[in-house]
Amino acid sequence: MTLSVQFTTMAVMVLSGIYLGLAQDTFRRFSVHWKNRTVISYLLEIGFWLLQTIIVFYFLFLVNSGEIRLYIFLACLLGFSFYQALLKTVYRNVLEGVISVLRTIFRFIKQVFLIFIVTPLKWIFFLLSGIIVFIINLVVKLLAIILKIILFPFLMIGRILKPLIPENFIKFFHKLHPIYSTIRNILKKGLEYATFKRR
């Protein structure tokens, strides 16, 4: 390994140490959202450090084909210490500022979505539901009126012929009255349910 490659490797490892500090603080900032879930917390912790190891080794592979020396670890530790001493507070403040801006943007987009999309769709749904219920109620009432008009002559004929009907026949129909009432109540409840009628 030439001297220039060694210097490049040291510079990259110092930057890698700084990067590890940045990545760790970023990960710790968001880890509060899953810290109470032990299994997920362990899995994410392991996955995070495996990913950082792969990234740092990839940088090392680009500059010196992946040769590992003691000074490489020292350079990486130097970069990490430099970050902890001088950049940590600044980066955390910047990170909080970015998160605050992103939250504000997200809330704004959410409000715009609710005002211009969700609310109009909700009112359109209620309007269409009201129109449909009104039409169904109107049709049911018209059918009831038509049915009364159709049955009126038969009812009149029945009243005229009632004295001529045998008493046993009338008693038979009286026995059927509970069945008729049950069927009528079932149909009535079905119509009320279909038209969303509330008492």
Side-chain angles (χ1 to χ4, degrees):
M1 191 173 1
T2 62
L3 188 61
S4 61
V5 172
Q6 291 181 8
F7 277 116
T8 304
T9 301
M10 289 184 64
V12 169
M13 286 299 100
V14 171
L15 293 175
S16 296
I18 296 173
Y19 161 76
L20 287 176
L22 295 171
Q24 183 186 34
D25 276 344
T26 304
F27 180 76
R28 291 286 173 265
R29 173 61 181 81
F30 292 102
S31 63
V32 294
H33 298 291
W34 58 78
K35 67 178 181 179
N36 293 327
R37 301 177 180 179
T38 307
V39 177
I40 295 177
S41 180
Y42 281 129
L43 290 176
L44 289 176
E45 190 81 26
I46 294 171
F48 170 77
W49 285 112
L50 284 176
L51 178 62
Q52 304 316 310
T53 302
I54 292 171
I55 292 173
V56 172
F57 184 78
Y58 176 73
F59 290 150
L60 181 64
F61 182 80
L62 291 178
V63 293
N64 71 350
S65 300
E67 291 187 26
I68 298 177
R69 305 288 177 83
L70 178 61
Y71 69 85
I72 290 175
F73 294 102
L74 295 176
C76 189
L77 181 61
L78 176 63
F80 185 80
S81 300
F82 176 79
Y83 168 81
Q84 293 291 328
L86 300 177
L87 302 178
K88 183 174 184 176
T89 303
V90 176
Y91 175 72
R92 284 187 172 181
N93 292 334
V94 172
L95 181 62
E96 290 298 329
V98 171
I99 292 174
S100 179
V101 171
L102 291 177
R103 281 178 176 172
T104 303
I105 294 173
F106 175 77
R107 287 172 184 168
F108 174 76
I109 294 173
K110 182 180 178 181
Q111 289 298 322
V112 170
F113 180 78
L114 290 174
I115 293 172
F116 291 102
I117 296 178
V118 175
T119 302
L121 288 176
K122 187 186 294 184
W123 282 108
I124 291 171
F125 173 76
F126 286 140
L127 179 62
L128 292 176
S129 300
I131 293 173
I132 292 171
V133 170
F134 173 77
I135 292 173
I136 293 175
N137 283 326
L138 183 61
V139 170
V140 170
K141 289 179 181 178
L142 288 174
L143 290 174
I145 293 172
I146 293 171
L147 187 62
K148 287 181 180 179
I149 293 172
I150 293 172
L151 293 178
F152 180 75
F154 296 98
L155 292 174
M156 294 301 296
I157 294 171
R159 288 178 182 176
I160 294 171
L161 298 177
K162 186 177 180 180
L164 304 176
I165 299 173
E167 188 176 348
N168 292 332
F169 198 68
I170 294 174
K171 289 181 180 180
F172 174 75
F173 274 102
H174 279 303
K175 291 179 181 180
L176 294 177
H177 185 267
I179 299 175
Y180 164 75
S181 299
T182 303
I183 296 174
R184 185 183 62 182
N185 291 332
I186 292 173
L187 292 175
K188 185 178 179 181
K189 290 180 180 179
L191 288 174
E192 290 177 354
Y193 178 79
T195 56
F196 301 95
K197 185 177 180 181
R198 295 182 181 177
R199 294 182 178 177

